[in-house]
Amino acid sequence: MYALYATLGIPLFGALLQAAVGHRSFAREINVALSAATFLAACVLTERIVTQGPQFAWDQAFFIDPLNVFLVTLTAFVGLTTAIFSRPYMAIEAEHGKMTPPRLRLYHSMYQLFNCTMLLALTTNNMGLLWVAMEAATLATVLLVSVYRTAASLEAAWKYFILCGVGIAQALFGTVLLFMAAEKVLGAEGGALLWTNLDAVKTQLDPAIITLAFAFLFIGYGTKVGLVPLHNWLPDAHAEGPTPVSAVLSGLLLNVALYALLRCKVLTDGALQTPLASRLMMGFGLLSVLTAAFFLLRQKDVKRMFAYSSIEHMGLMTFAFGVGGPVANFAGLLHMTVHSLIKSAIFFAVGHATQRAGTQIMADIRGLMKASPLLGWSMMLGALAILGMPPFGVFASEFLILTTAMREQPWATPFLLLALGVAFGAVFMRVQEMVFGSTNLPAGGTAHTAPAHLPVYAHLGLGLMLGIYIPPYLDAWYRQAAAMMGG
């Protein structure tokens, strides 16, 4: 499994390398090269799993199957495109004096470490190591959010650290309880924390212990997903950190936390033979969708607005996985993919727009279409895509979720429609004013470095393709992963 070791080892080596040279002018190019190498290794790993089936590595410490292999590729791809976007973005931030050489060193090294921890969490077979990876991701993200060293960014980083630290501590307790339940069946030397071993004996696990374990795991990983009422860290972290960090938070971290929750749900469903986990996920998912939709109406900061949009969409995915079944699980996986692509594209566009305007307040950003047609169209198309306009992929996944809810959980359908309608009005009203309003921005911009539009349109193009055509191998992955999750 050399491809797996390369996928994990390249960003880890990159973090050490950038700690040494991350302050130099060529560090941005090194960041892109490392991310590209990680993506290529992930593609090789994916191809091997597709052709040869699930595989173990390092004495069963790692396990790659249809549920995580394409998430690995998606994570590496978004990491690469964000690094490409970050190259001119950080150059402009340096021109404006926001990024000093020590801050650039910290940013580049923690960016690679963050990617490493995300990939580790996705590929590990050990539930304890999964917790360690999520905790390491928390620490790396705290440093990324606080990199500007302003009062607001430090406050946001501390809020993120405290809330997610408390949450991840709950997940640790849940992991310990999971080990206690498994040890009774597998024995102390039976690999009681290996997910594949747990999955094999899940029907024999003590239901009382598993019920308590899932409650703590749901609180812990649900905090990282951004589920209401554990979501308060997310808007601040998005608003105060660098925009590339916002992109990887929405596009990567939330997905990985939800993936961890899904692994726990599979075990809980098998042990309890009751819909407890599904009901919790449906309830808190729907609460998150509704709460975030109405909070969107109150936002004045563009990055905070799209942060609440992320909470809304993560709630929608959680609800879909809670409903369960082949169609709902398929829709949840598709939504996970297109949300990562579209939301990161939106943050790319938002980053360029806020740099040009010198502010994140939406009332002060007007006339993007006249100032820069490429930027204006990327913002408008990204907003329409994330709001579920056809033929983008978000429309396809939301349509599947809604129609499945009408059949399986009809009581929830009016609430979902209300939330999606409110969110559409709130976001579209503000974005169209930013794009088509009376211009207050200079046509040429003030920075010497040209922004990177390619990552934006690459993501939007992929999001459009998934709304029209899903490649056969990707469709097969969705179907296999949906079947694995049961429900």
Side-chain angles (χ1 to χ4, degrees), residues 267-341:
L267 300 177
T268 305
D269 287 343
L272 302 185
Q273 299 295 316
T274 66
L276 171 67
S278 295
R279 288 174 178 171
L280 278 174
M281 293 183 73
M282 281 192 293
F284 283 95
L286 187 59
L287 177 63
S288 300
V289 174
L290 284 166
T291 304
F294 283 96
F295 267 99
L296 283 169
L297 293 168
R298 303 175 52 191
Q299 301 311 308
K300 299 179 181 179
D301 184 301
V302 62
K303 290 175 70 176
R304 288 183 69 89
M305 181 179 73
F306 284 115
Y308 276 105
S309 173
S310 293
I311 295 171
E312 176 208 358
H313 285 279
M314 296 311 296
L316 194 60
M317 292 176 221
T318 304
F319 175 83
F321 290 124
V323 172
V327 178
N329 287 339
F330 184 100
L333 292 166
L334 177 60
H335 200 74
M336 185 183 289
T337 306
V338 292
H339 176 260
S340 291
L341 295 170

Side-chain angles (χ1 to χ4, degrees), residues 365-370 373 376-377 379-381 384 428-439:
I365 305 174
R366 290 289 185 271
L368 289 174
M369 190 66 75
K370 292 182 180 179
W377 278 115
M379 181 73 80
M380 194 73 247
L381 290 174
L384 291 174
F428 184 78
M429 175 180 65
R430 286 171 170 80
V431 170
Q432 67 89 18
E433 290 175 351
M434 294 169 62
V435 174
F436 297 108
S438 300
T439 183

Side-chain angles (χ1 to χ4, degrees), residues 89 243 302-303 349-361 365:
Y89 181 89
T243 303
V302 62
K303 290 175 70 176
V350 166
H352 292 319
T354 54
Q355 278 188 330
R356 174 162 289 192
T359 180
Q360 294 178 190
I361 304 302
I365 305 174

Side-chain angles (χ1 to χ4, degrees), residues 140-153:
T141 314
V142 166
L143 295 174
L144 286 169
V145 170
S146 67
V147 73
Y148 285 143
R149 292 297 187 269
T150 62
S153 67

Side-chain angles (χ1 to χ4, degrees), residues 207-293:
I209 298 178
I210 292 298
T211 299
L212 191 58
F214 184 77
F216 283 102
L217 289 165
F218 185 80
I219 294 171
Y221 292 130
T223 302
K224 301 288 287 186
V225 174
L227 297 178
V228 173
L230 308 168
H231 67 288
N232 291 327
W233 64 270
L234 199 149
D236 287 344
H238 280 66
E240 302 304 333
T243 303
V245 177
S246 303
V248 293
L249 278 175
S250 278
L252 303 183
L253 180 65
L254 305 186
N255 272 3
V256 175
L258 183 55
Y259 161 81
L261 197 55
L262 292 176
R263 288 292 195 191
C264 299
K265 177 181 181 292
V266 170
L267 300 177
T268 305
D269 287 343
L272 302 185
Q273 299 295 316
T274 66
L276 171 67
S278 295
R279 288 174 178 171
L280 278 174
M281 293 183 73
M282 281 192 293
F284 283 95
L286 187 59
L287 177 63
S288 300
V289 174
L290 284 166
T291 304

